């Protein structure tokens, strides 16, 4: 072969080797690019989750600070809302729940008194239901009374509950102070003493 032909062959071989080298490198570059892209997506996802977690934490802190000075925030637990009802910081919803809490607490305290008082002072004399020859003394205390109470007695209890609900209204938390129906049994001219009594009512109701 002539020198010129040898140089052409050498050049063609070098070019072919370069092409083979690029072909071998191409998958490696594609793999690196895919790994980098995946890492970028993962990092972005972590940033988004961290931002969402931070926003949720800040929301809970704001809600806590919004209600931490309300009645019922007492030691040792302080502001206690494990379910997260106040996480949205909705003042109207908080006032409605406070009204419901007070109502249920008062009913519970009356129920406790109704359970204990007959044991201490005795029961009314006479008949609860003359037609059934049922005396007040025949009604046992506690859950056993359910089996002794006549149907008309349950109807009277339900009617009275409905009267109390309707006459008391449902807008106390919208138009005034939750639980304030105008009959102030727990009050005082001293603000500190009044707060103490209202705190005690919530604690006893709970």
């Amino acid at each position: 072969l002539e020198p010129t032909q040898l140089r052409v062959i050498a050049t063609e071989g070098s070019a072919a080797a370069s092409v083979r080298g690029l072909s071998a490198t191409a998958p490696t570059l594609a793999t690196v690019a895919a790994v980098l892209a995946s890492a970028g997506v993962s990092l972005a996802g972590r940033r988004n989750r961290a931002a969402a977690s931070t926003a949720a934490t800040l929301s809970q802190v704001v809600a806590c600070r919004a209600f931490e000075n309300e009645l019922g925030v007492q030691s040792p637990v302080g502001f206690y809302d494990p379910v997260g009802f106040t996480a949205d910081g909705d003042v109207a919803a908080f006032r409605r729940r406070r009204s419901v809490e007070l109502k249920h607490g008062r009913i519970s305290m009356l129920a406790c008194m109704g359970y204990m008082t007959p044991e201490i002072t005795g029961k009314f004399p006479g008949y609860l239901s003359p037609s059934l020859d049922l005396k007040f003394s025949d009604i046992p205390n506690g859950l056993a009374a359910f089996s002794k109470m006549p149907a008309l007695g349950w109807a009277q209890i339900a009617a009275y509950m409905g009267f109390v609900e309707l006459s008391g209204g449902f807008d106390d938390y919208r138009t005034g102070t939750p639980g304030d129906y105008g009959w102030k049994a727990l009050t005082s001219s001293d603000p500190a003493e009044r707060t103490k009594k209202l705190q005690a009512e919530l604690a006893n109701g709970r």
Side-chain angles (χ1 to χ4, degrees):
L1 294 174
E2 297 294 332
T4 303
Q5 293 174 327
L6 292 173
R7 286 195 297 272
V8 171
I9 292 172
T11 301
E12 291 176 350
S14 177
S18 298
V19 171
R20 286 195 298 275
L22 290 173
S23 299
T25 307
T28 303
L29 293 175
T31 301
V32 172
V35 171
L36 291 175
S38 176
V41 171
S42 177
L43 181 59
R46 290 180 181 178
R47 287 177 177 174
N48 291 337
R49 288 193 294 270
S53 177
T54 302
T57 302
L58 289 175
S59 175
Q60 292 176 353
V61 171
V62 170
C64 177
R65 290 180 178 175
F67 305 118
E68 64 183 2
N69 294 322
E70 293 287 341
L71 289 171
V73 181
Q74 306 177 45
S75 60
V77 296
F79 183 79
Y80 186 65
D81 182 20
V83 182
F85 285 127
T86 60
D88 56 1
D90 190 335
V91 176
F94 175 84
R95 289 168 62 85
R96 182 184 65 81
R97 293 190 184 99
R98 172 50 52 84
S99 176
V100 173
E101 179 186 18
L102 284 166
K103 183 182 293 184
H104 291 174
R106 290 167 181 173
I107 293 172
S108 299
M109 287 187 282
L110 288 173
C112 289
M113 291 177 62
Y115 184 89
M116 294 182 294
T117 301
E119 292 282 359
I120 299 172
T121 64
K123 300 176 182 179
F124 291 117
Y127 286 86
L128 174 65
S129 175
S131 61
L132 297 176
D133 193 29
L134 183 65
K135 297 179 180 180
F136 284 104
S137 58
D138 296 332
I139 305 296
N141 285 341
L143 298 178
F146 280 83
S147 61
K148 297 290 185 178
M149 180 70 68
L152 185 58
W154 287 116
Q156 291 174 349
I157 292 174
Y160 179 71
M161 291 171 60
F163 168 75
V164 172
E165 283 285 331
L166 295 176
S167 63
F170 303 96
D171 295 335
D172 57 297
Y173 66 93
R174 295 177 181 173
T175 58
T177 303
D180 186 354
Y181 297 101
W183 183 58
K184 300 183 184 297
L186 298 175
T187 188
S188 174
S189 57
D190 183 4
E193 184 65 21
R194 179 175 179 273
T195 299
K196 179 182 177 181
K197 291 181 177 180
L198 293 176
Q199 294 274 33
E201 180 189 24
L202 277 169
N204 292 338
R206 291 168 178 173

